[in-house]
Amino acid sequence: MRIRLDIAYDGTAFSGWATQPELRTVQGTLEDALRIIYRDLPESGPLLTVAGRTDAGVHATGQVAHLDLPESAWEATARGNRDDGPADALMRRLAGVLGPESDVVVTRVTEAPEGFDARFSAIWRSYEYRIADSTIAPNPLERHRTTLVRRELDLDDMNRAAEVLIGLHDFAGFCKPRPHATTIRTLQEFHWSRDEAGVFIAQVRADAFCHSMVRSLVGMCAAVGQGRLKLSRVPALLELQDRSNEFTVLAAKGLTLTAVGYPQEAELAARQTQTRAKRTAPPHLKLVE
């Protein structure tokens, strides 16, 4: 049985999603809880496949992962002592193991449809980034999810900079390099707004993101919004083959993974195949590996 888990977490006290020796991570915390509930699961090796690994300090309200279980274990989840089905029982039992004040919560459990893969079936990921500039009084209650910048920001200039980047591009100038990894991405949505408190909020959506890409994108916009980077320079950043040092990659704490999108059930398997295939560049772009 393949089980889908929808997950939310405050990333402040986690060393990212992925399990690491001697460090507290989201994956490690959830897998420890699952091994308590399902005692026959292997004691080593990953149990969860995630839609997108998040770095240390990054939050999530819409993370997705999947878990494969023997059908017998899944059917026994409710233990026959409640009216809950296995999905409701697993969510309740995870909440019991993690505790009522846990900084990671499983918000939904469902049986995954055929062909579903949390990572390879996804067609987009959406993030939010929050910035408070020098015109806003610091809010201590928001300090773990909002990045502070020392100068005043110009919302219109930030949106103009963001608009330049929408579409299919090589984002090498905005990504931390990884061996044999492509930096070709389709940025589907990128815009800024301000909430009632005056906080600048970016909505960023793409088919996928390379390492530190979102924090680089918002860092570039902040540099334009502060007047430290000319708007006319932005198109040239898409021609770079290495990450630019013309702007600052902003802090992880301002970033939240808000949603992951998937196609209709009939298209899940085909999407897996497409995603696993080597990404090719359009004629006007050079593929960087």
Side-chain angles (χ1 to χ4, degrees), residues 126-163:
S126 182
Y127 285 86
E128 174 184 286
Y129 198 93
R130 297 169 53 86
I131 302 177
D133 72 356
S134 60
T135 66
I136 302 172
N139 182 349
L141 299 182
E142 299 290 340
R143 69 190 186 281
H144 293 309
R145 71 180 189 125
T146 305
T147 294
L148 304 179
V149 296
R150 295 182 178 180
R151 297 183 183 179
E152 184 175 353
L153 295 169
D154 186 297
L155 180 65
D156 290 337
D157 281 349
M158 292 167 71
N159 272 316
R160 292 185 187 101
E163 187 177 4

Side-chain angles (χ1 to χ4, degrees), residues 164-212:
V164 173
L165 303 181
I166 294 174
L168 176 63
H169 301 289
D170 185 342
F171 286 94
F174 296 89
C175 296
K176 185 176 180 179
R178 285 183 167 177
H180 310 296
T182 177
T183 49
I184 304 294
R185 296 290 187 270
T186 300
L187 188 60
Q188 301 166 346
E189 177 185 352
F190 188 15
H191 63 84
W192 292 87
S193 60
R194 298 188 78 172
D195 68 9
E196 62 280 1
V199 174
F200 292 76
I201 302 176
Q203 302 293 338
V204 190
R205 189 180 73 193
D207 56 347
F209 292 92
C210 48
H211 192 205
S212 76

